């Protein structure tokens, strides 16, 4: 019998902030999106106050003053590093691991029938908590969909103990009683709109979905929902993806910290975004055959003139060279730039991606990529931090950078921001 575990970091971004600032424990904390716009992570204390995911910061400031909510800017460098440490530890507990997102992963436990999974889960929680400082919950089940649901039950305290839930311990009656208490919208892959359509058919909780006719649901909805029903009944349809597939396109975009009007700062921003995208491209050992650049004003600032435009261009030969890709991106930007507008956002997209190893070049093509230079850039930036070695087109001051006025230090990734012990 196959057994899967889903391990999920609790309020992950908030938990990362609390690792190096224990004074935040027990206090209402919210982590904000780019430019300190909306809530992207909330502590349990903030959720209890009724703050919803995505709520704009300016709308909760009165609530923040009354209840002492601590607002922090997103510190993605810190979160990524702590995620890597957490995933490395969890990978030691099982022969198979699929990293599903920055704060959760699936583990495969085939052949672990003799183990007490509850004890094993508690050991995982304690080790991650002690070694990294992140609280996690663990859900065990015979399919990935059920493991997701078991994790939800562990997190909400619906069953299990101390953040660990093992569905393989429950009998059919216990499963039925539990599933009738869980709304259908909590099932992995059932979004809000789909949940509403299912509720119209009288399928309001998980047990009702589990007992539905899968063939009928396939005809009326999709084959994905049919598989979901099978997974809820213990039939494993989804295996572990130990190696994440390469992305089919790579996008890099940001809203600016302030409006930009001139071409030069826009060029700096587009060059910086392209450098990030090109680094990701090389990391997955691919080359891009098509480049797209787009700019736009703020659609919510109705008192300002509005403009939005994008343009794409194919490359003569697929490339992963930051300098070549920046050159093309700047050419595209000049084509779509119009003076007289307050630009709020720009972005680049790399498309028509091909694996470098299997790339078929033209017989008469000359490869102008600076492969050795790119290798040196990646190595230097991996050791000393992104942007240590960069193209001059990206600029030096970057006054247009996104606003992160409440950001904590990069405690684990920058020498000059290491925590100090007194």
């Amino acid at each position: 019998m196959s057994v899967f575990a889903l391990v999920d970091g609790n309020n992950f971004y908030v938990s990362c902030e609390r690792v190096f600032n224990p004074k935040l424990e027990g206090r209402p904390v919210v982590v904000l999106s780019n430019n300190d716009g909306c809530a992207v992570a909330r502590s349990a204390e903030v959720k209890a106050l009724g703050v919803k995911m995505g709520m704009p910061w300016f709308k909760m400031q009165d609530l923040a003053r009354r209840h002492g909510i601590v607002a922090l800017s997103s510190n993605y460098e810190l979160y990524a590093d702590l995620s890597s440490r957490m995933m490395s530890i969890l990978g030691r507990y099982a022969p198979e691991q699929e990293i599903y997102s920055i704060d959760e992963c699936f583990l495969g436990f085939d052949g672990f029938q003799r183990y007490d999974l509850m004890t094993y889960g508690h050991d995982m929680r304690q080790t991650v908590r002690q070694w990294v400082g992140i609280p996690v919950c663990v859900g065990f089940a015979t399919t990935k969909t059920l493991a997701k649901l078991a994790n939800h039950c562990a997190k909400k305290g619906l069953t299990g103990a101390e953040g660990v839930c093992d569905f393989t311990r429950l009998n059919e009656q216990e499963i039925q009683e539990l599933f009738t208490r869980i709304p259908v919208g909590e099932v992995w892959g059932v979004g809000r709109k789909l949940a509403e359509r299912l509720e119209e058919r009288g399928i309001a909780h998980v047990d009702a979905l589990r007992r539905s006719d899968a063939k009928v649901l396939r005809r009326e909805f999709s084959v994905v929902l049919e598989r979901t029903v099978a997974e809820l009944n213990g039939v494993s349809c989804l295996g572990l993806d130990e190696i994440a597939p390469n992305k089919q396109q790579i996008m890099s975009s940001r809203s600016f910290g302030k409006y930009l009007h001139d071409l030069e700062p826009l060029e700096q921003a587009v060059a910086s975004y392209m450098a990030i995208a090109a680094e990701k491209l090389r990391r997955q050992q691919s080359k891009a055959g098509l480049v797209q650049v787009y700019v736009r004003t703020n659609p919510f600032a109705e008192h300002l003139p509005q403009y939005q435009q994008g343009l794409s261009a194919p490359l003569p030969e697929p490339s992963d060279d930051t300098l070549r890709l920046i050159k093309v991106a700047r050419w595209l930007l000049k084509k779509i730039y119009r003076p007289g507008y307050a630009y709020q956002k720009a972005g680049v997209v790399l498309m028509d991606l091909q694996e470098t190893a299997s790339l078929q070049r033209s017989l008469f093509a000359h490869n102008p990529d600076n492969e050795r230079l790119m290798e040196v850039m990646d190595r230097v930036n991996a050791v000393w931090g992104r942007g240590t070695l960069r193209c001059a087109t990206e600029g030096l001051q970057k006054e247009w950078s996104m606003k992160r006025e409440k950001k904590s230090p990069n405690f684990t990734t920058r020498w000059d921001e290491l925590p100090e012990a007194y």
Side-chain angles (χ1 to χ4, degrees), residues 179-229:
F179 284 5
T180 54
R181 302 188 344 244
I182 304 175
V184 69
E186 297 296 343
V187 175
W188 185 28
V190 177
R192 180 178 58 84
K193 292 184 177 180
L194 178 55
E196 292 174 355
R197 293 177 61 191
L198 290 172
E199 288 170 4
E200 291 173 358
R201 294 177 51 91
I203 304 174
H205 50 73
V206 177
D207 192 64
L209 179 60
R210 183 172 71 115
R211 296 179 180 278
S212 299
D213 189 322
K215 300 298 182 184
V216 172
L217 292 180
R218 174 174 179 165
R219 288 197 300 268
E220 296 190 12
F221 295 94
S222 68
V223 66
V224 175
L225 190 58
E226 179 189 30
R227 290 173 184 162
T228 298
V229 173

Short mmCIF file of all heavy atoms in Angstrom, two decimals, residues 179-229:
data_model
loop_
_atom_site.label_atom_id
_atom_site.label_comp_id
_atom_site.label_asym_id
_atom_site.label_seq_id
_atom_site.Cartn_x
_atom_site.Cartn_y
_atom_site.Cartn_z
N PHE A 179 -15.38 13.47 7.17
CA PHE A 179 -15.54 14.12 5.87
C PHE A 179 -16.85 14.88 5.75
O PHE A 179 -16.94 15.84 4.96
CB PHE A 179 -15.42 13.09 4.75
CG PHE A 179 -14.01 12.65 4.47
CD1 PHE A 179 -12.95 13.08 5.27
CD2 PHE A 179 -13.72 11.80 3.42
CE1 PHE A 179 -11.65 12.68 5.02
CE2 PHE A 179 -12.41 11.39 3.15
CZ PHE A 179 -11.38 11.84 3.96
N THR A 180 -17.86 14.49 6.49
CA THR A 180 -19.13 15.24 6.45
C THR A 180 -19.00 16.60 7.13
O THR A 180 -19.85 17.48 6.92
CB THR A 180 -20.26 14.45 7.12
OG1 THR A 180 -19.87 14.09 8.45
CG2 THR A 180 -20.60 13.19 6.32
N ARG A 181 -17.93 16.80 7.89
CA ARG A 181 -17.74 18.08 8.59
C ARG A 181 -16.81 19.01 7.83
O ARG A 181 -16.59 20.14 8.25
CB ARG A 181 -17.14 17.82 9.99
CG ARG A 181 -18.02 16.93 10.84
CD ARG A 181 -17.58 16.79 12.29
NE ARG A 181 -16.25 17.20 12.62
CZ ARG A 181 -15.30 16.37 13.07
NH1 ARG A 181 -15.56 15.07 13.16
NH2 ARG A 181 -14.12 16.83 13.41
N ILE A 182 -16.27 18.55 6.72
CA ILE A 182 -15.31 19.36 5.97
C ILE A 182 -15.97 19.86 4.68
O ILE A 182 -16.43 19.05 3.86
CB ILE A 182 -14.04 18.55 5.63
CG1 ILE A 182 -13.42 17.98 6.90
CG2 ILE A 182 -13.04 19.42 4.89
CD1 ILE A 182 -12.23 17.07 6.63
N PRO A 183 -16.02 21.17 4.44
CA PRO A 183 -16.62 21.70 3.20
C PRO A 183 -15.88 21.19 1.97
O PRO A 183 -14.67 20.97 2.00
CB PRO A 183 -16.46 23.21 3.36
CG PRO A 183 -16.28 23.44 4.82
CD PRO A 183 -15.57 22.24 5.34
N VAL A 184 -16.60 21.02 0.88
CA VAL A 184 -16.02 20.48 -0.34
C VAL A 184 -14.91 21.38 -0.89
O VAL A 184 -13.98 20.92 -1.57
CB VAL A 184 -17.12 20.25 -1.41
CG1 VAL A 184 -17.67 21.58 -1.92
CG2 VAL A 184 -16.61 19.39 -2.54
N GLY A 185 -14.98 22.67 -0.58
CA GLY A 185 -13.97 23.61 -1.06
C GLY A 185 -12.59 23.40 -0.47
O GLY A 185 -11.62 23.98 -0.95
N GLU A 186 -12.48 22.57 0.57
CA GLU A 186 -11.18 22.29 1.18
C GLU A 186 -10.42 21.19 0.44
O GLU A 186 -9.26 20.92 0.75
CB GLU A 186 -11.35 21.89 2.65
CG GLU A 186 -11.94 22.96 3.54
CD GLU A 186 -11.05 24.18 3.65
OE1 GLU A 186 -9.85 24.08 3.32
OE2 GLU A 186 -11.55 25.25 4.04
N VAL A 187 -11.07 20.54 -0.53
CA VAL A 187 -10.40 19.48 -1.28
C VAL A 187 -9.40 20.11 -2.25
O VAL A 187 -9.68 21.11 -2.90
CB VAL A 187 -11.43 18.63 -2.05
CG1 VAL A 187 -10.73 17.59 -2.94
CG2 VAL A 187 -12.36 17.93 -1.08
N TRP A 188 -8.23 19.51 -2.35
CA TRP A 188 -7.17 19.98 -3.24
C TRP A 188 -7.67 20.01 -4.68
O TRP A 188 -8.16 19.02 -5.21
CB TRP A 188 -5.98 19.03 -3.11
CG TRP A 188 -4.75 19.42 -3.86
CD1 TRP A 188 -4.33 20.67 -4.20
CD2 TRP A 188 -3.75 18.53 -4.37
NE1 TRP A 188 -3.14 20.63 -4.88
CE2 TRP A 188 -2.75 19.33 -5.00
CE3 TRP A 188 -3.58 17.15 -4.36
CZ2 TRP A 188 -1.64 18.78 -5.61
CZ3 TRP A 188 -2.47 16.60 -4.96
CH2 TRP A 188 -1.51 17.41 -5.58
N GLY A 189 -7.63 21.15 -5.33
CA GLY A 189 -8.06 21.28 -6.71
C GLY A 189 -9.49 21.75 -6.89
O GLY A 189 -9.92 22.02 -8.01
N VAL A 190 -10.23 21.86 -5.79
CA VAL A 190 -11.62 22.36 -5.86
C VAL A 190 -11.60 23.83 -5.44
O VAL A 190 -11.53 24.14 -4.25
CB VAL A 190 -12.56 21.55 -4.97
CG1 VAL A 190 -13.98 22.14 -5.01
CG2 VAL A 190 -12.58 20.09 -5.39
N GLY A 191 -11.63 24.70 -6.42
CA GLY A 191 -11.61 26.14 -6.14
C GLY A 191 -12.98 26.67 -5.76
O GLY A 191 -13.97 25.93 -5.71
N ARG A 192 -13.04 27.98 -5.54
CA ARG A 192 -14.29 28.58 -5.07
C ARG A 192 -15.43 28.41 -6.06
O ARG A 192 -16.54 28.03 -5.69
CB ARG A 192 -14.05 30.07 -4.80
CG ARG A 192 -15.28 30.82 -4.30
CD ARG A 192 -14.95 32.27 -4.01
NE ARG A 192 -14.42 32.94 -5.19
CZ ARG A 192 -15.17 33.48 -6.15
NH1 ARG A 192 -16.50 33.39 -6.09
NH2 ARG A 192 -14.61 34.10 -7.18
N LYS A 193 -15.17 28.69 -7.36
CA LYS A 193 -16.24 28.59 -8.35
C LYS A 193 -16.71 27.16 -8.53
O LYS A 193 -17.91 26.89 -8.65
CB LYS A 193 -15.77 29.18 -9.68
CG LYS A 193 -15.56 30.69 -9.64
CD LYS A 193 -15.20 31.23 -11.01
CE LYS A 193 -15.06 32.75 -10.98
NZ LYS A 193 -14.71 33.30 -12.32
N LEU A 194 -15.76 26.22 -8.54
CA LEU A 194 -16.14 24.81 -8.68
C LEU A 194 -16.92 24.36 -7.45
O LEU A 194 -17.89 23.60 -7.57
CB LEU A 194 -14.90 23.94 -8.87
CG LEU A 194 -15.12 22.43 -8.99
CD1 LEU A 194 -16.11 22.11 -10.11
CD2 LEU A 194 -13.80 21.71 -9.21
N ALA A 195 -16.51 24.82 -6.28
CA ALA A 195 -17.22 24.45 -5.05
C ALA A 195 -18.67 24.94 -5.10
O ALA A 195 -19.59 24.22 -4.69
CB ALA A 195 -16.51 25.03 -3.84
N GLU A 196 -18.87 26.14 -5.65
CA GLU A 196 -20.23 26.68 -5.75
C GLU A 196 -21.08 25.82 -6.70
O GLU A 196 -22.26 25.54 -6.41
CB GLU A 196 -20.18 28.12 -6.24
CG GLU A 196 -19.58 29.09 -5.23
CD GLU A 196 -19.40 30.48 -5.81
OE1 GLU A 196 -19.67 30.65 -7.03
OE2 GLU A 196 -19.02 31.40 -5.06
N ARG A 197 -20.50 25.39 -7.80
CA ARG A 197 -21.23 24.55 -8.76
C ARG A 197 -21.55 23.18 -8.15
O ARG A 197 -22.64 22.63 -8.36
CB ARG A 197 -20.43 24.39 -10.04
CG ARG A 197 -20.25 25.66 -10.83
CD ARG A 197 -19.39 25.45 -12.06
NE ARG A 197 -19.97 24.47 -12.97
CZ ARG A 197 -19.33 23.93 -14.00
NH1 ARG A 197 -18.06 24.27 -14.22
NH2 ARG A 197 -19.92 23.06 -14.79
N LEU A 198 -20.62 22.65 -7.39
CA LEU A 198 -20.87 21.36 -6.73
C LEU A 198 -21.95 21.49 -5.66
O LEU A 198 -22.80 20.60 -5.52
CB LEU A 198 -19.57 20.83 -6.12
CG LEU A 198 -18.50 20.36 -7.10
CD1 LEU A 198 -17.20 20.04 -6.37
CD2 LEU A 198 -18.97 19.12 -7.88
N GLU A 199 -21.92 22.59 -4.93
CA GLU A 199 -22.94 22.80 -3.89
C GLU A 199 -24.32 22.93 -4.50
O GLU A 199 -25.32 22.51 -3.90
CB GLU A 199 -22.58 24.05 -3.08
CG GLU A 199 -21.38 23.84 -2.16
CD GLU A 199 -20.89 25.12 -1.54
OE1 GLU A 199 -21.54 26.17 -1.77
OE2 GLU A 199 -19.86 25.10 -0.84
N GLU A 200 -24.41 23.50 -5.72
CA GLU A 200 -25.69 23.59 -6.40
C GLU A 200 -26.25 22.20 -6.72
O GLU A 200 -27.47 22.03 -6.82
CB GLU A 200 -25.54 24.39 -7.69
CG GLU A 200 -25.26 25.88 -7.46
CD GLU A 200 -24.95 26.60 -8.76
OE1 GLU A 200 -24.92 25.92 -9.83
OE2 GLU A 200 -24.75 27.84 -8.72
N ARG A 201 -25.35 21.22 -6.86
CA ARG A 201 -25.77 19.84 -7.10
C ARG A 201 -25.98 19.07 -5.81
O ARG A 201 -26.22 17.87 -5.83
CB ARG A 201 -24.71 19.11 -7.94
CG ARG A 201 -24.54 19.62 -9.35
CD ARG A 201 -23.42 18.86 -10.06
NE ARG A 201 -23.57 17.41 -9.95
CZ ARG A 201 -24.21 16.64 -10.81
NH1 ARG A 201 -24.76 17.19 -11.89
NH2 ARG A 201 -24.31 15.35 -10.64
N GLY A 202 -25.85 19.74 -4.67
CA GLY A 202 -26.03 19.08 -3.39
C GLY A 202 -24.77 18.44 -2.84
O GLY A 202 -24.81 17.70 -1.86
N ILE A 203 -23.63 18.73 -3.47
CA ILE A 203 -22.35 18.18 -3.01
C ILE A 203 -21.66 19.28 -2.20
O ILE A 203 -20.87 20.07 -2.73
CB ILE A 203 -21.47 17.74 -4.19
CG1 ILE A 203 -22.24 16.74 -5.06
CG2 ILE A 203 -20.17 17.12 -3.71
CD1 ILE A 203 -21.50 16.35 -6.34
N ALA A 204 -21.97 19.33 -0.91
CA ALA A 204 -21.50 20.43 -0.07
C ALA A 204 -20.32 20.06 0.81
O ALA A 204 -19.61 20.94 1.29
CB ALA A 204 -22.64 20.94 0.81
N HIS A 205 -20.10 18.77 1.04
CA HIS A 205 -18.98 18.37 1.90
C HIS A 205 -18.16 17.28 1.22
O HIS A 205 -18.54 16.75 0.16
CB HIS A 205 -19.48 17.92 3.29
CG HIS A 205 -20.58 16.90 3.25
ND1 HIS A 205 -20.38 15.58 2.89
CD2 HIS A 205 -21.91 17.02 3.52
CE1 HIS A 205 -21.52 14.93 2.95
NE2 HIS A 205 -22.47 15.77 3.33
N VAL A 206 -17.03 16.94 1.81
CA VAL A 206 -16.08 16.03 1.19
C VAL A 206 -16.68 14.64 1.01
O VAL A 206 -16.47 13.99 -0.02
CB VAL A 206 -14.79 15.95 2.03
CG1 VAL A 206 -13.82 14.93 1.42
CG2 VAL A 206 -14.13 17.31 2.11
N ASP A 207 -17.45 14.17 1.99
CA ASP A 207 -18.00 12.82 1.87
C ASP A 207 -18.99 12.73 0.71
O ASP A 207 -19.07 11.70 0.03
CB ASP A 207 -18.68 12.41 3.18
CG ASP A 207 -19.01 10.93 3.21
OD1 ASP A 207 -18.06 10.11 3.17
OD2 ASP A 207 -20.21 10.58 3.24
N ALA A 208 -19.75 13.80 0.48
CA ALA A 208 -20.69 13.80 -0.64
C ALA A 208 -19.93 13.71 -1.97
O ALA A 208 -20.37 13.01 -2.89
CB ALA A 208 -21.55 15.06 -0.60
N LEU A 209 -18.81 14.42 -2.07
CA LEU A 209 -18.01 14.34 -3.30
C LEU A 209 -17.41 12.95 -3.45
O LEU A 209 -17.38 12.39 -4.55
CB LEU A 209 -16.91 15.39 -3.25
CG LEU A 209 -15.95 15.42 -4.45
CD1 LEU A 209 -16.71 15.70 -5.75
CD2 LEU A 209 -14.86 16.46 -4.26
N ARG A 210 -16.96 12.37 -2.35
CA ARG A 210 -16.34 11.04 -2.39
C ARG A 210 -17.33 9.99 -2.89
O ARG A 210 -16.94 9.03 -3.57
CB ARG A 210 -15.83 10.70 -1.00
CG ARG A 210 -15.10 9.38 -0.88
CD ARG A 210 -14.48 9.24 0.50
NE ARG A 210 -15.47 9.04 1.53
CZ ARG A 210 -15.58 7.93 2.27
NH1 ARG A 210 -14.75 6.93 2.07
NH2 ARG A 210 -16.49 7.85 3.20
N ARG A 211 -18.59 10.16 -2.57
CA ARG A 211 -19.61 9.16 -2.93
C ARG A 211 -20.30 9.47 -4.26
O ARG A 211 -21.20 8.73 -4.68
CB ARG A 211 -20.65 9.06 -1.81
CG ARG A 211 -20.06 8.56 -0.50
CD ARG A 211 -21.09 8.49 0.61
NE ARG A 211 -20.51 8.00 1.84
CZ ARG A 211 -20.31 6.71 2.13
NH1 ARG A 211 -20.67 5.79 1.24
NH2 ARG A 211 -19.76 6.35 3.27
N SER A 212 -19.90 10.54 -4.92
CA SER A 212 -20.53 10.90 -6.19
C SER A 212 -20.06 9.97 -7.31
O SER A 212 -19.01 9.32 -7.21
CB SER A 212 -20.18 12.35 -6.54
OG SER A 212 -20.65 13.24 -5.56
N ASP A 213 -20.85 9.92 -8.38
CA ASP A 213 -20.51 9.11 -9.55
C ASP A 213 -19.40 9.83 -10.33
O ASP A 213 -19.62 10.88 -10.92
CB ASP A 213 -21.75 8.93 -10.43
CG ASP A 213 -21.52 7.92 -11.55
OD1 ASP A 213 -20.41 7.90 -12.11
OD2 ASP A 213 -22.45 7.15 -11.86
N ALA A 214 -18.22 9.25 -10.33
CA ALA A 214 -17.05 9.88 -10.95
C ALA A 214 -17.25 10.07 -12.45
O ALA A 214 -16.80 11.07 -13.03
CB ALA A 214 -15.79 9.07 -10.66
N LYS A 215 -17.90 9.11 -13.11
CA LYS A 215 -18.11 9.20 -14.56
C LYS A 215 -19.02 10.37 -14.92
O LYS A 215 -18.79 11.08 -15.91
CB LYS A 215 -18.69 7.89 -15.09
CG LYS A 215 -17.82 6.66 -14.85
CD LYS A 215 -16.49 6.79 -15.56
CE LYS A 215 -15.63 5.54 -15.36
NZ LYS A 215 -14.28 5.68 -15.98
N VAL A 216 -20.06 10.56 -14.10
CA VAL A 216 -20.97 11.68 -14.34
C VAL A 216 -20.25 13.00 -14.14
O VAL A 216 -20.39 13.94 -14.93
CB VAL A 216 -22.19 11.58 -13.39
CG1 VAL A 216 -23.05 12.85 -13.50
CG2 VAL A 216 -23.02 10.35 -13.71
N LEU A 217 -19.44 13.09 -13.07
CA LEU A 217 -18.70 14.32 -12.82
C LEU A 217 -17.70 14.60 -13.93
O LEU A 217 -17.43 15.75 -14.27
CB LEU A 217 -17.97 14.22 -11.47
CG LEU A 217 -18.88 14.19 -10.23
CD1 LEU A 217 -18.04 14.10 -8.96
CD2 LEU A 217 -19.77 15.42 -10.18
N ARG A 218 -17.15 13.53 -14.52
CA ARG A 218 -16.22 13.73 -15.64
C ARG A 218 -16.94 14.35 -16.82
O ARG A 218 -16.40 15.26 -17.48
CB ARG A 218 -15.59 12.41 -16.03
CG ARG A 218 -14.71 12.51 -17.27
CD ARG A 218 -13.98 11.24 -17.57
NE ARG A 218 -13.17 11.34 -18.77
CZ ARG A 218 -12.23 10.50 -19.13
NH1 ARG A 218 -11.95 9.46 -18.37
NH2 ARG A 218 -11.55 10.67 -20.24
N ARG A 219 -18.14 13.87 -17.12
CA ARG A 219 -18.89 14.41 -18.26
C ARG A 219 -19.29 15.86 -18.02
O ARG A 219 -19.26 16.68 -18.94
CB ARG A 219 -20.14 13.56 -18.52
CG ARG A 219 -19.85 12.18 -19.12
CD ARG A 219 -21.11 11.58 -19.72
NE ARG A 219 -22.17 11.43 -18.73
CZ ARG A 219 -22.37 10.34 -18.00
NH1 ARG A 219 -21.56 9.29 -18.14
NH2 ARG A 219 -23.34 10.28 -17.13
N GLU A 220 -19.68 16.18 -16.79
CA GLU A 220 -20.21 17.52 -16.51
C GLU A 220 -19.11 18.53 -16.15
O GLU A 220 -19.31 19.73 -16.29
CB GLU A 220 -21.24 17.45 -15.39
CG GLU A 220 -22.46 16.63 -15.76
CD GLU A 220 -23.57 16.78 -14.74
OE1 GLU A 220 -23.47 17.69 -13.87
OE2 GLU A 220 -24.53 15.99 -14.79
N PHE A 221 -17.98 18.03 -15.66
CA PHE A 221 -16.91 18.93 -15.23
C PHE A 221 -15.62 18.63 -15.98
O PHE A 221 -15.34 19.24 -17.00
CB PHE A 221 -16.72 18.84 -13.71
CG PHE A 221 -17.91 19.32 -12.94
CD1 PHE A 221 -18.89 18.41 -12.51
CD2 PHE A 221 -18.06 20.66 -12.63
CE1 PHE A 221 -20.01 18.85 -11.79
CE2 PHE A 221 -19.16 21.11 -11.91
CZ PHE A 221 -20.14 20.21 -11.50
N SER A 222 -14.82 17.68 -15.48
CA SER A 222 -13.54 17.40 -16.14
C SER A 222 -12.99 16.07 -15.64
O SER A 222 -13.44 15.53 -14.62
CB SER A 222 -12.53 18.50 -15.84
OG SER A 222 -12.17 18.48 -14.47
N VAL A 223 -12.00 15.57 -16.37
CA VAL A 223 -11.32 14.34 -15.97
C VAL A 223 -10.53 14.57 -14.68
O VAL A 223 -10.30 13.63 -13.90
CB VAL A 223 -10.40 13.84 -17.10
CG1 VAL A 223 -9.25 14.82 -17.31
CG2 VAL A 223 -9.85 12.45 -16.80
N VAL A 224 -10.15 15.81 -14.43
CA VAL A 224 -9.42 16.13 -13.20
C VAL A 224 -10.28 15.85 -11.98
O VAL A 224 -9.82 15.28 -10.98
CB VAL A 224 -8.95 17.60 -13.20
CG1 VAL A 224 -8.30 17.97 -11.88
CG2 VAL A 224 -7.99 17.84 -14.35
N LEU A 225 -11.57 16.25 -12.05
CA LEU A 225 -12.47 16.00 -10.92
C LEU A 225 -12.72 14.51 -10.75
O LEU A 225 -12.88 14.02 -9.63
CB LEU A 225 -13.77 16.77 -11.12
CG LEU A 225 -14.72 16.80 -9.92
CD1 LEU A 225 -14.02 17.40 -8.70
CD2 LEU A 225 -15.99 17.57 -10.24
N GLU A 226 -12.77 13.78 -11.87
CA GLU A 226 -12.92 12.33 -11.78
C GLU A 226 -11.75 11.71 -11.01
O GLU A 226 -11.94 10.85 -10.15
CB GLU A 226 -13.00 11.72 -13.17
CG GLU A 226 -13.14 10.19 -13.17
CD GLU A 226 -13.01 9.59 -14.55
OE1 GLU A 226 -12.28 10.16 -15.39
OE2 GLU A 226 -13.62 8.53 -14.79
N ARG A 227 -10.54 12.17 -11.29
CA ARG A 227 -9.37 11.66 -10.57
C ARG A 227 -9.42 12.06 -9.10
O ARG A 227 -9.00 11.29 -8.23
CB ARG A 227 -8.10 12.20 -11.22
CG ARG A 227 -7.81 11.63 -12.59
CD ARG A 227 -6.63 12.34 -13.23
NE ARG A 227 -6.38 11.87 -14.59
CZ ARG A 227 -5.66 12.51 -15.49
NH1 ARG A 227 -5.10 13.67 -15.17
NH2 ARG A 227 -5.48 12.03 -16.71
N THR A 228 -9.93 13.25 -8.83
CA THR A 228 -10.04 13.70 -7.44
C THR A 228 -10.95 12.78 -6.65
O THR A 228 -10.64 12.39 -5.51
CB THR A 228 -10.57 15.14 -7.38
OG1 THR A 228 -9.65 16.01 -8.05
CG2 THR A 228 -10.74 15.61 -5.95
N VAL A 229 -12.08 12.40 -7.25
CA VAL A 229 -13.00 11.48 -6.58
C VAL A 229 -12.32 10.13 -6.34
O VAL A 229 -12.45 9.53 -5.27
CB VAL A 229 -14.28 11.30 -7.42
CG1 VAL A 229 -15.18 10.21 -6.82
CG2 VAL A 229 -15.06 12.61 -7.50
#
